[in-house]
Amino acid sequence: MLTIENILLDYAQSLQGTEQFPLVGWQIHSDKKNVIQQSWQLQIGEDSAFTQILHDTGRMESVQSQNIQLTGIELVYSRRYFVRVKISDNYGEESSWSQPAEFITGLPAEKWQGAFISAEQPEDNATSKGSLLRKAFYLDRVDDISSVVVHASALGIYQFYCNGQRVGNDELTPGWTSYHHHLLYQTYDLTPLLQEGKNAVAASLGAGWYKGDMSFNRYRNYYGDRTAFICQVVIHYKDGRQQTLVTDELWRASDSPVLFSEIYDGETYDARLEQAGWNDADFDDSQWRSVSLIDADKAVLRPQGTATVQQIETIDPVAVLITPQGDTVVDFGQNLTGWVSFTVKGNVGDKVVLRHFEVLDADGNVYLANLRTAKQRIEYTLKGGEEEHYHPHFTFQGFRYVKIESWPGTFDIHQVKAVVVHSQMQQAGDFSCSNPHLNQLHHNILWGLKGNFVDVPTDCPQRDERLGWTGDAQIFCRTASYLMQTRNFFAKWLTDLRHDQTAEGGVPHVIPDILTDRCDEDRFLAQGNTHSAAAWADAAVIAPWTIYLMYGDTTTLRNQYASMKGWIDFMRAHAVDNHWRYKLQFGDWVALDAKEGSYFGATPNELTCMAYYAWSTLLFAKAAKVLGHEADYQEYVALYQRIVHSFQQAFFTPTGRLAVRTQTAHILALHFNLVPDAFRERTINTLLELLAEHDGHLVTGFVGTPYFCHALSQNGHAKEAWDLLLKDDFPSWLYQVKAGATTIWEHWDGIKPDGSMWSPDMNSFNHYAYGAIGEWIYRAAAGIDTDESGPGFKQIRLKPLIGGGLEWLNARYHSLYGDINVGWKVVPAGEGVSRVTMEVDIPPNTQATITLVDAEEIIADDGLTFSAEGGDYQAVTGSGYYQLEYRCSMPQ
């Protein structure tokens, strides 16, 4: 039976705010194999029953089922719409209409009538207290209303209420963006919350990223010195009338029980200052004060329809510990990002004080040093009497452990829960195998993502940093996109990268950028006003290209095209004979081959800069080709070829020796295809020698590590790649696992074998960068990859690398087209031969090339036609479930 499983609107199942008709895609289900869509028909309705059809495409003869863009459709702002689809396939079968997907339109910039209003005065610039805002209004005949929508945003962080109820499930809104260029607003349906007669809308505000202390430099008021709120409530009546309620000078303001709240330092809340019913319609706000109007640019407001930060899950504590120093500590068993929600009962004025931290020291005591100046402290003062419930409002913490500094009465483990908070994304990847340590590594990589994808891809979630470092995001982007559906998350962040780029095309080290003009005191950025580091700034090109490969997304590619080009041209402008260098470079950051006391690895910046210059130029040329910019394609392909030639002249001797004898130098040369064909064998052999010199261990940093296993397995050394992955002594991925890690560490030896710590000035235990090995686990070990000729997994490559001594492996990737599943089992068949059984599941409307690596004999082909290809067997097939069996040389 042919059905449509899931309609996606701008890559999401529902869309709360869009200023144009969204991109549409759908997933197909069929009980047949080799299913290809032949036609589709799409309808847009004003109600879920489609009694009023706004647009009908009619039957469209097309195999396209993703990234469909409809133009010329006029939508009314602040309205809900419904979309449904039906299709036919190559068997002549036609589906019924799908279940409808829905979206709400946003508010174009020119339609904003409200003003930014504030409860604060200029003298409040040094405080991070909370404030309250409210407005009462009347509705005569609620039955005459068809819908009510609110669009809201803030300078700071806001929570929105209607008639006493919290609106929406989002947290930390409107998130962190380059506020002066790009301020997001959220859209919510208020229809079920309104009542006949008196109503009220209200907001609670906190400092957030906008005016609180930010970065290790601890600068305040980076974007502004007063929090402010803006909203517009749009009421649609059944007779076509429209009524608007906006933020203006008639709103009322008051102080909040939030006495202090900041991103790094936590929150102080005094429940004695609560005003019961402050957000209800009948509350008397006559004693409240007037608001101030804030002059802020409304033209930068843009809708955030998806990927908002939300409470995703809760975790119960696993133990309560009494440390050798006598502290009471709650262990949640998982390093996470979010907050503690608790229930407490006591007398008026009693306090709860919590300190959040990641690890215990070697003696089992509380370890706070690696937080640097971040306090991660929650202080709650009880109003007394009944049981009280609390969690923070405008902050988040990175922690596994919580120290109970103060608690009224006897603390009970059941009074606290950890709430995991991150940007809402659908999980896309699942992985399991016969090696439990490798399973834990995958778990740690996933939780590193969860902990650091709180609206922006941060380096760490606990210390006084939590910045969107471009290098970390760049190397982890592909892994992240296997684990989660990250398109909308990265598209938002890349928009800020585009806005924060310099006029010359330079790319800041962090996005949003709060360092470029505020870095003169920092120990790493002592050169001042620095930006544009190789591998970091290349996020401008690599991330959009990765999103294109994973989702077939030309919209982000198009939006970022000028930014991508600007970065290439920046490098070209600062290059001499294709060698470029600009101010501070991080190089192979925190590599183990660095000099004592240095964070900078041994691979020279000249090589790193040039390698990434070549790689990004090639990817940009490919993007130009995809978007039809033929002249740019020709120009930048030629530039790429010149860079490669210069690289080879500079770094390879006439006999084929790569002059820089580091692991990372050889990895980059191999993975970025910078090695002359005649020298490739010598280069890979030298890399193997360098690996052997360290007893099979890596000594690479942020630049070399992500590509190490790829460089090996793509050059005929899958066994060595597996061996490297499965090393479990220092330094290795599994060393951290065996040390009890539940996320990825910043340093290979964050906790050393003797239990001592790396230097506390930079020692995060939730730092996803080295988790970039996840890409190899999915693309190579499981063998699930997309083909450039059919991005977004329209054309699938399935090429598992059997090995690692594993008995079995199962992996799933939920692509836009549906689930791609690969599973393999290995049974020794005597005399160095293994018998491999493999199961693959390919979603409808796609095609896959299945490669059986090192297969010697195919025992069961499930009707597929395999041919010998370069020592492997290969078959091309369409959708369906297939069971295969073959003999191969015994994987080591």
Side-chain angles (χ1 to χ4, degrees), residues 619-692:
L619 298 187
F620 175 69
K622 290 181 177 184
K625 186 76 168 178
V626 167
L627 297 177
H629 301 302
E630 186 62 30
D632 278 354
Y633 170 70
Q634 295 295 339
E635 177 184 349
Y636 288 90
V637 160
L639 174 61
Y640 163 72
Q641 292 169 345
R642 293 195 299 272
I643 299 168
V644 172
H645 177 73
S646 297
F647 182 95
Q648 293 173 348
Q649 292 292 109
F651 295 109
F652 280 95
T653 68
T655 59
R657 178 176 60 85
L658 181 57
V660 177
R661 203 173 188 279
T662 67
Q663 291 179 354
T664 291
H666 288 73
I667 291 164
L668 292 182
L670 288 163
H671 190 66
F672 291 170
N673 294 316
L674 301 173
V675 182
D677 289 341
F679 300 159
R680 180 166 289 274
E681 184 176 356
R682 177 169 181 174
T683 305
I684 187 64
N685 285 338
T686 304
L687 178 58
L688 294 173
E689 290 173 10
L690 292 167
L691 192 58

Side-chain angles (χ1 to χ4, degrees), residues 450-683:
K450 291 179 178 183
N452 283 290
F453 276 37
V454 180
D455 205 59
V456 300
T458 57
D459 57 331
C460 59
Q462 75 297 94
R463 68 187 180 216
D464 55 358
E465 195 162 351
R466 313 186 197 190
L467 303 177
W469 285 94
T470 49
D472 304 51
Q474 179 266 121
I475 62 178
F476 192 66
C477 183
R478 189 80 174 256
T479 294
S481 299
Y482 274 106
L483 296 171
M484 294 280 191
Q485 209 283 41
T486 63
R487 186 270 182 183
N488 292 331
F489 177 85
F490 275 116
K492 168 205 174 271
W493 183 73
L494 286 167
T495 299
D496 292 308
L497 186 152
R498 182 173 79 239
H499 285 303
D500 283 348
Q501 230 166 326
T502 70
E504 196 184 2
V507 179
H509 300 317
V510 300
I511 300 294
D513 178 26
I514 59 172
L515 292 184
T516 295
D517 59 355
R518 298 284 185 98
C519 60
D520 51 323
E521 296 179 11
D522 176 55
R523 61 191 183 282
F524 305 130
L525 311 182
Q527 298 182 45
N529 203 35
T530 179
H531 53 80
S532 302
W536 274 251
D538 291 282
V541 172
I542 295 172
W545 181 253
T546 299
I547 297 305
Y548 168 71
L549 289 178
M550 296 300 288
Y551 305 109
D553 172 24
T554 56
T555 299
T556 300
L557 210 57
R558 191 175 296 109
N559 290 342
Q560 298 299 130
Y561 187 77
S563 166
M564 299 167 76
K565 187 176 183 179
W567 169 237
I568 303 300
D569 289 346
F570 179 91
M571 289 189 284
R572 179 158 58 173
H574 290 273
V576 176
D577 296 329
N578 300 311
H579 296 252
W580 88 275
R581 175 77 184 267
Y582 185 80
K583 293 190 176 181
L584 175 69
Q585 295 293 318
F586 298 112
D588 196 21
W589 186 246
V590 295
L592 293 174
D593 58 7
K595 292 181 180 178
E596 185 70 28
S598 173
Y599 295 115
F600 302 95
T603 303
N605 291 328
E606 291 76 12
L607 184 144
T608 303
C609 288
M610 205 169 186
Y612 269 95
Y613 184 21
W615 185 241
S616 285
T617 301
L618 174 62
L619 298 187
F620 175 69
K622 290 181 177 184
K625 186 76 168 178
V626 167
L627 297 177
H629 301 302
E630 186 62 30
D632 278 354
Y633 170 70
Q634 295 295 339
E635 177 184 349
Y636 288 90
V637 160
L639 174 61
Y640 163 72
Q641 292 169 345
R642 293 195 299 272
I643 299 168
V644 172
H645 177 73
S646 297
F647 182 95
Q648 293 173 348
Q649 292 292 109
F651 295 109
F652 280 95
T653 68
T655 59
R657 178 176 60 85
L658 181 57
V660 177
R661 203 173 188 279
T662 67
Q663 291 179 354
T664 291
H666 288 73
I667 291 164
L668 292 182
L670 288 163
H671 190 66
F672 291 170
N673 294 316
L674 301 173
V675 182
D677 289 341
F679 300 159
R680 180 166 289 274
E681 184 176 356
R682 177 169 181 174
T683 305

Side-chain angles (χ1 to χ4, degrees), residues 125 165 203 299 544 624 803 809 878:
N125 65 343
Q165 296 189 48
L809 179 151

Side-chain angles (χ1 to χ4, degrees), residues 339-523:
W339 50 65
V340 172
S341 173
F342 60 80
T343 300
V344 65
K345 187 174 182 179
N347 299 320
V348 60
D350 284 348
K351 291 182 183 293
V352 172
V353 179
L354 309 177
R355 293 294 301 274
H356 303 70
F357 63 101
E358 292 187 289
V359 294
L360 300 168
D361 68 16
D363 297 322
N365 290 310
V366 174
Y367 185 74
L368 301 175
N370 72 320
L371 303 180
R372 300 195 303 222
T373 65
K375 294 182 177 66
Q376 292 215 121
R377 181 180 185 273
I378 298 298
E379 179 179 322
Y380 176 84
T381 302
L382 279 69
K383 57 189 172 186
E386 299 299 318
E387 202 170 60
E388 302 176 41
H389 306 275
Y390 170 82
H391 68 71
H393 300 79
F394 306 119
T395 184
F396 61 89
Q397 288 76 50
F399 65 100
R400 170 176 171 171
Y401 299 96
V402 173
K403 175 186 175 184
I404 309 295
E405 291 192 348
S406 178
W407 191 278
T410 302
F411 174 75
D412 184 273
I413 193 172
H414 302 293
Q415 292 175 280
V416 297
K417 291 181 181 295
V419 179
V420 178
V421 173
H422 60 75
S423 294
Q424 197 281 324
M425 300 166 286
Q426 181 183 11
Q427 186 165 334
D430 288 307
F431 172 87
S432 60
C433 69
S434 57
N435 185 322
H437 293 313
L438 193 52
N439 293 338
Q440 183 65 42
L441 174 63
H442 181 271
H443 170 98
N444 294 1
I445 297 169
L446 176 61
W447 276 88
L449 180 153
K450 291 179 178 183
N452 283 290
F453 276 37
V454 180
D455 205 59
V456 300
T458 57
D459 57 331
C460 59
Q462 75 297 94
R463 68 187 180 216
D464 55 358
E465 195 162 351
R466 313 186 197 190
L467 303 177
W469 285 94
T470 49
D472 304 51
Q474 179 266 121
I475 62 178
F476 192 66
C477 183
R478 189 80 174 256
T479 294
S481 299
Y482 274 106
L483 296 171
M484 294 280 191
Q485 209 283 41
T486 63
R487 186 270 182 183
N488 292 331
F489 177 85
F490 275 116
K492 168 205 174 271
W493 183 73
L494 286 167
T495 299
D496 292 308
L497 186 152
R498 182 173 79 239
H499 285 303
D500 283 348
Q501 230 166 326
T502 70
E504 196 184 2
V507 179
H509 300 317
V510 300
I511 300 294
D513 178 26
I514 59 172
L515 292 184
T516 295
D517 59 355
R518 298 284 185 98
C519 60
D520 51 323
E521 296 179 11
D522 176 55
R523 61 191 183 282

